[in-house]
Amino acid sequence: MSEFLHFVEHPLQEIALLIMAVVYITRLRWLMKFPAGKERQAATGAIDTTPRRGIIYSWMNIANPMGMESTRTKIFFYAQFVVFHLGVTSAIALSFIIPYWPHVLEIPGVQPLLQFIIGAAFIVGLFRMIRRYGDKYIRAISTPDDHFSLLLLTVWFLFAFLSVPNDTSGGEWHLVTYFILTAFFLIYVPFSKISHYLYYPFTRYYLGKTMGHRGVYPIEHNPRT
Amino acid sequence: MPAIKERSHKAQKVLERFEKKLNRQIVGSLVACVHCGMCTQSCHYVLANPGDPTYAPAYKGDQIRKIFKRHFDWTGRVLPFWVKAKSVYTDEQLEELKDVVFGKCTNCRRCTINCPMGVDLATFNRMARGLLVSVGVMPEGVAVVSKDQWELGNQMGVLKEDYIDTLEWMEEEMQMELDDPQAKIPIDKKDCDVYYSINPREVKYDPRTIADAAKIFYAAKENWTMASEGWDMTNFGLFSGDDDLGGSVAVRLYEKVEELNARKLVISECGHGYRSTRCEGQNWGKKDVNFTMESSVITMLDYVKSGRIQIDAGKNDKIYTYHDSCNFARSCGMYEEPRELLKLVVNDFREMYPNRSENYCCTGGGGAMSMSEYSQRRLKSAKVKADQLKATGANVVVTSCHNCVDGLNDLIKHYKLGMEVTQLVNLVAEALVLEPRVAPEEIPAAPEAVPGADGLKGKKILVTDDEPDFLTFISTVLEDNEAEVIKASSGDEALKLAESEQPDLITLDLSMPGRSGIEVFETLRKNSKTQNIPVCIITGRPEMRKLIYDRPVPPPEGYVDKPADEDDIVLNIRKVLKAGHEKS
């Protein structure tokens, strides 16, 4: 391993992680400075719809494609979402596995599994780029940040896929690129739409609390709807 | 805030007030959108306008979000182009925003429950409405209705005497129908179990629902009352985004309940009224209450289930479907109770799909019925609802919301669906099986004859409208009710005929070519020969009502919005004639 590869795998990642953590904490403090709404009224709806159940239902909504018409009627798109986010999780995990626990990659089946997931996520990334440019509705709501974030992640998937074997016999360029992209990704994320996962628990918590208190969540579906 | 261009006073005020409106929920919704587009197909505006992305919920949300990003979000402040952050500078930009937040969204919340991120567009769209209203940028109808609710305590400008008069009229009708002079609509009775609050639309256009509710309370032997003031449970603050108005209206009602020491506030069937009074009012008004609140749907269901009233579902012998009001269902979780009650009072119920929290808006929600400038857009988007209604195979659509009644009636007429719209209160009253009354020992005196109670026989009515079709329609309706009709197709003709014919009542269209209805009305009031003739305004331009009330002459005796059906017209004209008779 060259000194440069060591630098991008270790100090660069650690600095990037530190920056990300500081920025995230700042961001959360900013969000928390806004007051939370208060519900004074007695609960409405069925007895088994409570704020607590509403919050849990709301948080778990992501894992319940039948819970929303938008996912229920677009199962292929939902599957893309799952693959894409599993790809993100795997590529992030890889950025820790290679520098700190490289032996994990020696476990039989781990490398093919990671490559399968990340490779599939790369393909989904390409699909999503086509959709973002090609779909009139999506193009109208897309910002440069949306396009760039998607491009960044898709390219990152490609280099993560190539880096899974952690093999430098043919050169280090793919690993160096992967770790530089990872560091950039870590620093860029808090300023981009990719930070949505930071907000997800909050938006879903408050929506779930409100809808639970008002008897809407959990939604019980009539099978024919 | 960046001082790049000169900003208009209104735009500056909007930005200053923006931050005060923000809470954690709204900020979360403003920052969390990932532009995934999952909400797109959930919106009836999108479905009815294929290919136009400006109707997409995320696009509409971005028109508000871009201002937030430019002023409150770090990336938008530093690199605005990167996240399409943009400020507002001119009044024209505020007008454009008005078109989006009032004219392209009914705040139905369907996109919210279809958003994977939990972005609540309806909530921050309402916030944006409130910001615009605070600087006077709003549809004319919103201004008129808000003004009425601030000044007169109800959103349809019903005067206290008209309200009381309507209750007394309904009481008389009920007494005649039940043949019981003890059947009452109590007003301001203290220490009751039920305080019944209503929508002013019931007073103005559909007093039958008041009589039906009274009949049900009578049958249940309920200890109930209505109030002489603080009776309006609707709240235009929900639609206009004005929390001050919302709080003031709700607290006015709560305080009256407390003053009368009622144990339970029962809210008649109205989606936004229920949500405002039951779910939002306490938050807007920052007030805790010591009484319970419930929808009349629950009250009626309890009566039926507990045997307090007897029902014969066979009396409602049509095919019925149920439309879930957005505010009632998607924002207050009221799905099953209306269905349970409906199935008890009718024999043939057909479900509508999708339903419950996934039902489509009636397209008249969010105050859309008061914004006539968006009527064409609203009716176009109503195609989705029309198809949904048609697919049920029902001939009557039942809903627990007055706004939905109007919205559905409008689209049913527009798409020629030939369906009726009714409410649960009407069906329950229709299905009531009343115990035979024990004859009292003393026979009460016969009630005084009410002129016109059995039609409009002998009444001379001058009908004024420039639309030949409507003129024919209303004339036929009145003639069928035995009135003598004189027709005028212009303001000048109406003035001439009013003076020479001395009719018992004049119906007047407001928007006519030449001399407008408003001018004609003022001239009639100022002419000693015509000033005492009651006038009933019939117009398709509700926003012009304000102009009538702004005139330095006594207001008209009656008011009917177009499109109006036969029952609305006859009921209102009878009411105006009766009031005139009592006055004389």
Side-chain angles (χ1 to χ4, degrees), chain A residues 53-204:
Chain A
R53 286 200 66 199
I55 292 164
I56 293 167
Y57 174 83
S58 183
W59 274 338
M60 299 308 289
N61 207 267
I62 201 116
N64 176 18
M66 302 314 284
M68 294 191 297
E69 182 193 80
S70 56
T71 45
R72 190 167 63 240
T73 55
K74 296 187 190 81
I75 286 295
F76 181 61
F77 190 77
Y78 178 79
Q80 286 182 39
F81 153 82
V82 172
V83 169
F84 192 82
H85 285 82
L86 284 176
V88 172
T89 312
S90 303
I92 290 172
L94 188 67
S95 74
F96 287 93
I97 291 171
I98 291 176
Y100 303 111
W101 306 288
H103 56 276
V104 171
L105 295 173
E106 306 304 323
I107 299 169
V110 169
Q111 282 193 31
L113 179 68
L114 283 175
Q115 281 197 311
F116 177 75
I117 295 170
I118 295 170
F122 169 72
I123 292 165
V124 169
L126 293 177
F127 269 120
R128 288 186 159 203
M129 282 166 68
I130 293 166
R131 178 174 177 263
R132 197 162 279 285
Y133 281 102
D135 185 305
K136 198 182 210 176
Y137 291 98
I138 307 299
R139 194 168 59 238
I141 56 175
S142 295
T143 64
D145 173 46
D146 293 323
H147 291 294
F148 179 74
S149 297
L150 185 53
L151 178 68
L152 174 68
L153 282 174
T154 307
V155 174
W156 183 58
F157 284 144
L158 175 66
F159 283 94
F161 177 84
L162 298 173
S163 302
V164 169
N166 195 17
D167 180 6
T168 54
S169 59
E172 295 178 341
W173 59 275
H174 54 292
L175 281 162
V176 168
T177 311
Y178 167 63
F179 279 104
I180 288 176
L181 280 175
T182 306
F184 178 75
F185 170 74
L186 291 173
I187 294 168
Y188 178 67
V189 163
F191 301 97
S192 77
K193 60 100 61 106
I194 308 171
S195 61
H196 63 273
Y197 64 84
L198 181 72
Y199 306 121
Y200 178 86
F202 289 91
T203 51
R204 281 261 154 221

Side-chain angles (χ1 to χ4, degrees), chain B residues 387-448:
Chain B
D387 291 344
Q388 205 191 356
L389 291 177
K390 208 172 170 182
T392 63
N395 43 33
V396 181
V397 53
V398 184
T399 185
S400 290
C401 174
H402 281 280
N403 220 359
C404 296
V405 169
D406 288 339
L408 293 171
N409 267 323
D410 220 13
L411 75 89
I412 284 168
K413 193 173 169 189
H414 184 76
Y415 289 99
K416 300 180 174 61
L417 299 182
M419 295 173 85
E420 288 172 41
V421 185
T422 193
Q423 296 197 278
L424 281 160
V425 66
N426 308 128
L427 296 174
V428 173
E430 185 63 35
L432 268 182
V433 178
L434 293 164
E435 292 167 16
R437 195 171 72 84
V438 178
E441 287 175 16
E442 285 182 29
I443 299 166
E448 192 189 340

Side-chain angles (χ1 to χ4, degrees), chain B residues 70 88 110 183 263 268 303 322 543:
Chain B
R70 186 70 186 94
V88 280
R110 199 167 190 273
R263 276 172 279 285
S268 79
Y303 289 161
Y322 183 74
E543 72 277 12

Side-chain angles (χ1 to χ4, degrees), chain B residues 1 58 118 196 282 285-286 335 356 393 396 428 438 462 496 560 579:
Chain B
M1 285 170 196
Y196 187 56
Q282 287 183 252
K286 298 182 175 54
Y335 312 118
R356 296 173 170 83
V396 181
V428 173
V438 178
L462 170 60
K496 218 160 96 185
V560 178

